[in-house]
Amino acid sequence: MIKVPCKECGAFILPTTAESTGGMCMACKQGLRESMDTSRAYYQRLKEYDSFRALWVSLVKRSSDNMALDGWSNEEKTYFCVSLLEGEVYNGGFDQYFHNSSGDYYFLALDGLVEIEAMQSAHILREAASVLFGSGGPPDNQAERWQINNSTTRRLADLVARHHRSAKLEILDKRFCDNPDQIVDRLAAYAEEKGLVSPFMRDPSQ
């Protein structure tokens, strides 16, 4: 599916997200984009090298050649899958998360949220999956999720039913983006505790 740019920040989002938000990504819709960008700019100025970003880039590169995450430690899976979930939902909501290949990692992300004790976020994620896929949860295959959503759209031809589903997702998007568990802080502490970031630490004088 061709994505469209957010009318506020230019981030690419699904057309369905744009339709429900008036053309904006979820971060702009919730009024979070400016504070997020300000924070990023501050930390970028604060130090040229970001060890956590280096860890993330390393995991992304490894996952591109090994989407099944074979051979990864549980700690690496937790950090990667929860970070991926957080980024996708902030950018385009749960609809985008499950539409993209990121949704393949739903169960790992759910386990990861429990692992870092982000229980409110885990509950919200379960609710979103239930709205889209029912009590059985989403398939771990992108094509199968597309098929279910397409068939669901046909069954919910009634505009009121479709609006109700969209409205419930928007509420869940907002609850997640309100950041009840401070996920980024929890992930940072987790990465330090488990030694994930240690190989990427650098002497600031270098």
Side-chain angles (χ1 to χ4, degrees), residues 37-52:
D37 289 343
T38 299
S39 177
R40 288 195 190 99
Y42 170 76
Y43 284 108
Q44 187 62 36
R45 291 194 302 268
L46 188 63
K47 52 184 177 180
E48 294 181 1
Y49 179 78
D50 184 342
S51 55
F52 289 96

Side-chain angles (χ1 to χ4, degrees), residues 100-130:
N100 290 342
S101 59
S102 51
D104 294 355
Y105 303 114
Y106 164 75
F107 290 103
L108 288 174
L110 186 59
D111 289 345
L113 289 172
V114 174
E115 173 70 15
I116 65 173
E117 299 183 357
M119 304 309 296
Q120 293 184 72
S121 299
H123 180 69
I124 296 168
L125 176 59
R126 287 193 195 96
E127 285 190 70
S130 179

Side-chain angles (χ1 to χ4, degrees), residues 2-3 25 36 43 133 146 171 178 197:
I2 298 176
K3 296 183 180 180
C25 69
M36 289 166 61
Y43 284 108
F133 303 100
W146 287 356
I171 290 171
D178 281 344
V197 76

Side-chain angles (χ1 to χ4, degrees), residues 137-189:
D140 59 5
N141 180 279
Q142 186 179 30
E144 291 180 26
R145 292 195 302 276
W146 287 356
Q147 185 177 17
I148 290 173
N149 280 330
N150 287 338
S151 62
T152 299
T153 299
R154 287 194 294 271
R155 290 198 303 271
L156 301 181
D158 182 86
L159 293 179
V160 175
R162 291 176 63 184
H163 175 75
H164 180 64
R165 173 174 169 269
S166 178
K168 287 200 293 186
L169 275 181
E170 185 171 349
I171 290 171
L172 293 171
D173 289 340
K174 185 179 187 308
R175 285 172 56 193
F176 189 92
C177 291
D178 281 344
N179 200 18
D181 295 306
Q182 302 296 313
I183 289 177
V184 172
D185 292 340
R186 287 179 182 273
L187 281 172

